[in-house]
Amino acid sequence: MQMHCFGRKLCCSSYPLVPVSLPSRRETHFWYIVPDEIKDESLLNRYLGLLSSGEKESVFRMNGDKLRKRALLARALVRTTLARYTQVSPRSLKFKKNLFGKPEVEWQPDEKWDPPSLHFNISHTSSLIACGVAADMPIGIDVEEKHRKTRNNISALARRYFSTHEVEYLDNIPDSEMQQQEFIKLWTLKEAYVKALGRGFSASPFNTFTIRFKDICQSSLQVSKNFSSEAYEIVVEALNDSEHLATNCQFAIFELGNLHFAAICTQKDNITQGEEENMLKLKAWKTIPFVEDECVSETDTIIPISGLA
Amino acid sequence: MASLNATSITFESSLKPSIGSTQVTGRSSRSLISFGLSSNGFPTLRSSRFRVSCSATPQTVEKVCEIVRKQLALPAETELTPESKFTALGADSLDTVEIVMGLEEEFGISVEEESSVTITTVQEAADMIEKLVQQKDKA
């Protein structure tokens, strides 16, 4: 009885996932969920039904309902988002981990269809869950609450974990509020970089690379007085960059809603030249999968800080 | 169809594994054996099977729990055991580095970068602290 009703309810509340075209080479897609907006138990159960048994176990291993809901929504977001770009149903997507533990889609072989080279990465805070998608190139994203207060002093944290130049940059900021904000921004950029590389944190400890702001006009590296400027390009320098991964990185950072910073790191598209092409094109949606999608790209929900076209 | 019943509304599902099974899956295979000193000062060889009873002192574990609770702002009713995984408690990478810094300050130790990323549970943190404190006392 229960099963039958459940099944019928699914059909009635069914709202198909709106398909989306693949991101172009210079484009990143950014999908996010605000967990507090999703309270409907039948919807949450529907999301649960999309998960593999391993994912369900991981969800239930989380401590407490709030964290379980968050874990559930994160998996549901990944599955439903990727399904939009393909003919595949969200439930049937399979995932694997690369050599270093970074999750990737494992496309099932099918002669009729050439699976797209889709890369994704997720990040969450207690109030937001995000999934970045890129075609043909690796992607790393990180979201943090803008006003996150650290227990430790910013200088102490930076000295312990950041590179010398980054410590210097932060130390030169006299206002403690601004210093906290710049720390958070740097943190999101560094996280996005490590996650884009996909080799795990132990392969790229934070103090082995520096995020800097290169003056686009002068083409010289300098410690920027004002990070939040379009005249600057975000670059990363790594102590050991034998594979030139750092030089090929492209960053963008923006404010998301009133509460968050979001950073994206992908590879540069070396085919198209020119300064304008150095900026990332962003398309962003706030979503409640199966219920509604809201494109927020050209709205003031997204306030570019640097790196966005 | 048990899974459908388990998807009941408040996530109070019978699928919820016990802490014990989490312990088994969460156990790292890197260091099945750890060296240390027993209470009479003789070196002992410990296997991971005995890890819970013979490693870090309860006081150390307690202090670690306190620091983790504070950093993650855990509600009082949240159960915290030595096997609790930081990520399962909602810790992200910034929380983890803050926890490590809190532990360094509390115990007067210095944790190497490589070690700090391998601490994933309260027990692992406590064991590492004991090891570093002992090394420090010997120096």
Side-chain angles (χ1 to χ4, degrees), chain A residues 10-48:
Chain A
L10 263 183
C11 289
C12 295
S13 63
S14 170
Y15 174 94
L17 290 169
V18 177
V20 180
S21 322
L22 291 172
S24 64
R25 284 193 76 77
R26 278 266 142 197
E27 214 172 53
T28 304
H29 287 182
F30 188 93
W31 297 80
Y32 68 98
I33 284 178
V34 177
D36 287 344
E37 289 180 359
I38 304 182
K39 296 188 169 76
D40 183 49
E41 297 293 353
S42 64
L43 186 58
L44 289 169
N45 279 326
R46 187 169 177 193
Y47 294 154
L48 192 59

